[in-house]
Amino acid sequence: NAGVTQTPKFRVLKTGQSMTLLCAQDMNHEYMYWYRQDPGMGLRLIHYSVGEGTTAKGEVPDGYNVSRLKKQNFLLGLESAAPSQTSVYFCASRTQGRDNEQFFGPGTRLTVL
Amino acid sequence: GNSVTQMEGPVTLSEEAFLTINCTYTATGYPSLFWYVQYPGEGLQLLLKATKADDKGSNKGFEATYRKETTSFHLEKGSVQVSDSAVYFCALLYNQGGKLIFGQGTELSVKP
């Protein structure tokens, strides 16, 4: 099992450009999450999904969109990138169950110039 | 609202020293509590968890006890190793959607 994978690992964008980050999991997990990690701020939830075809906003959703067309994939889109979106992005997944852990991908480092 | 506060880092220790990383939380109800670890260049991994008051989570020599009366979940290890150098995150499980709320992370550096 590959677990949770993220594509790409690194990306540099110019302000105003768009891109999509792909998260894939092979554990048949129902729930998936997108976080951003910034120095001194821990991880903050952007969007999440509790099942195929569903999405919901997290703590910092502005400027991002997501889609969960297939159970194993969760896409994070930036329509018009801004320097404030420079961050490390992590995807995570978990199965149903009250206290089940989240499994994290290796991260995508995004720089917006 | 729900929140998690960790002691600020970085924390620098010598090998075999005792480690404590403080974590306190604010939450409605009775959340589950987690410690995650992030090694350099990697994603987060679950280190340990506790799901109710007075539970003790333990793994790889690390321990943390869920203290409801002090709303704390401090991480301890009796003798750290260089390989424990990482960033440690305390987190609270907010059950709506299984969402985690993270503290800001504490960087630990262990010197030989």
Side-chain angles (χ1 to χ4, degrees), chain B residues 6-29:
Chain B
Q6 290 180 232
M7 65 184 284
E8 290 196 16
V11 174
T12 302
L13 296 173
S14 297
E15 208 165 19
E16 299 184 3
F18 184 85
L19 168 71
T20 300
I21 299 177
N22 291 338
C23 170
T24 57
Y25 68 90
T26 302
T28 53

Side-chain angles (χ1 to χ4, degrees), chain A residues 22-99:
Chain A
L22 170 64
C23 175
Q25 53 94 5
D26 61 2
M27 296 174 282
N28 202 34
H29 286 170
E30 293 84 5
Y31 293 10
M32 295 186 76
Y33 307 84
W34 275 109
Y35 295 90
R36 59 179 289 173
Q37 182 181 25
D38 301 294
M41 301 187 75
L43 276 74
R44 293 180 293 168
L45 182 65
I46 304 171
H47 287 282
Y48 66 104
S49 168
V50 299
E52 182 178 318
T54 75
T55 62
K57 292 180 180 180
E59 182 185 357
V60 288
D62 294 342
Y64 305 94
N65 56 74
V66 287
S67 64
R68 182 104 182 265
L69 298 180
K70 294 183 179 180
K71 186 177 185 179
Q72 64 268 34
N73 295 338
F74 195 29
L75 278 63
L76 178 71
L78 286 73
E79 289 187 350
S80 179
S84 60
Q85 294 177 304
T86 294
S87 188
V88 181
Y89 292 86
F90 286 100
C91 176
S93 71
R94 72 188 282 264
T95 190
Q96 284 184 321
R98 183 186 133 81
D99 301 310

Side-chain angles (χ1 to χ4, degrees), chain B residues 67-96:
Chain B
R67 302 282 188 204
K68 189 161 77 77
E69 62 277 11
T70 54
T71 61
S72 65
F73 192 53
H74 304 322
L75 183 67
E76 296 182 335
K77 187 175 186 183
S79 176
V80 293
Q81 305 300 313
V82 172
S83 57
D84 294 326
S85 297
V87 181
Y88 292 81
F89 291 93
C90 185
L92 173 162
L93 178 64
Y94 180 49
N95 252 334
Q96 185 180 358

Side-chain angles (χ1 to χ4, degrees), chain A residues 31 33 35 37 40-43 45 48 50 90 94 98-102 104-106, chain B residues 30 32 34 36 38 42-44 46 49 51 89 93 95 97-100 102-104:
Chain A
Y31 293 10
Y33 307 84
Y35 295 90
Q37 182 181 25
M41 301 187 75
L43 276 74
L45 182 65
Y48 66 104
V50 299
F90 286 100
R94 72 188 282 264
R98 183 186 133 81
D99 301 310
N100 289 347
E101 69 177 281
Q102 291 185 15
F104 283 79
Chain B
Y30 302 98
S32 296
F34 299 76
Y36 278 82
Q38 183 181 30
E42 298 183 10
L44 279 69
L46 179 67
K49 70 180 184 183
T51 60
F89 291 93
L93 178 64
N95 252 334
K99 295 181 286 187
L100 288 171
F102 286 90
Q104 71 270 36

